[in-house]
Amino acid sequence: MLDTALSQDRRQVLADLARGHGTRLLAIARRILRNEDDARDAVQQGLLRALRGLDRFDDRSSLSTWLYRVVTNAALDIVRARRRCREDPLDAAPPGVAARDADAESAIIEAEERSQLYAALGAMPRAYRSTIEDELSGLGLREAAAARGVTPLALKSRRFRARQHLRHRMATLTGTTATA
């Protein structure tokens, strides 16, 4: 719930952030948490964190990339809290628990990888980052090209170079070797 001490200006900023990025942020949180209520909580927590940290936002990255990272962290905090609160069973685990634990662990690994992806995106040049963000958001080649005012062939070439750049950044972050 919003703190009543928030100024009207900050509430408006939060409303604008939610309106402009809410759908994509909710999709990210759903993928991590696999629960609608928890995903909505993560987005709300993330937006509040973003609002409180808005003064510290660094213009070197795009606002959307920063918001994705903040919401991803909020979702990961919820996953971690779930793991801490879960009690160890005294008897043998009921059937299916091991599978659920494996699913939860793979969700955490996916979330960490996604977090690294957003960190790599944040470090990319704006032209490459926006090309990748368009692709991640599901924007088709023709629609993205029209929005950017370029031909689909030119955008396809940019996407290729942006992916190469992203592979290199991810390899740097993860300490692996980039593959072609």
Side-chain angles (χ1 to χ4, degrees):
M1 178 169 280
L2 283 175
D3 183 359
T4 57
L6 289 176
S7 72
Q8 186 61 33
D9 291 340
R10 292 177 76 78
R11 286 177 195 239
Q12 185 59 47
V13 169
L14 180 62
D16 292 345
L17 292 175
R19 197 175 307 110
H21 300 279
T23 303
R24 290 182 188 165
L25 295 173
L26 186 58
I28 289 167
R30 279 184 191 129
R31 278 185 239 128
I32 294 169
L33 296 165
R34 298 179 184 173
N35 176 295
E36 184 69 23
D37 292 334
D38 288 345
R40 289 181 183 281
D41 287 345
V43 170
Q44 183 177 20
Q45 288 174 17
L47 287 171
L48 285 171
R49 288 179 191 176
L51 182 63
R52 289 183 185 122
L54 205 53
D55 299 337
R56 295 185 308 270
F57 172 66
D58 184 4
D59 287 335
R60 289 182 297 173
S61 65
S62 74
L63 180 62
S64 60
T65 302
W66 181 67
L67 284 173
Y68 296 151
R69 180 70 187 151
V70 171
V71 170
T72 297
N73 286 341
L76 288 173
D77 288 346
I78 291 172
V79 170
R80 289 182 193 114
R82 276 189 205 156
R83 293 188 98 185
R84 280 193 304 269
C85 292
R86 189 173 52 207
E87 295 180 22
D88 293 327
L90 297 175
D91 300 323
V97 169
R100 285 193 307 268
D101 286 349
D103 288 344
E105 187 173 334
S106 72
I108 290 171
I109 291 169
E110 285 177 28
E112 294 289 338
E113 289 171 349
R114 199 170 352 310
S115 175
Q116 289 174 338
L117 172 65
Y118 290 124
L121 278 171
M124 290 176 68
R126 185 176 299 271
Y128 284 166
R129 184 176 56 240
S130 62
T131 301
I132 295 291
E133 287 172 349
D134 287 347
E135 195 170 4
L136 288 175
S137 70
L139 200 57
L141 185 65
R142 291 176 196 256
E143 297 90 5
R148 302 234 173 260
V150 298
T151 66
L153 186 59
L155 185 62
K156 189 173 181 179
S157 177
R158 273 190 207 169
R159 281 185 175 179
F160 175 78
R161 288 190 309 273
R163 282 190 213 115
Q164 283 183 316
H165 195 271
L166 183 59
R167 273 190 215 98
H168 176 72
R169 287 275 184 197
M170 288 295 291
T172 302
L173 281 173
T174 61
T176 59
T177 306
T179 57

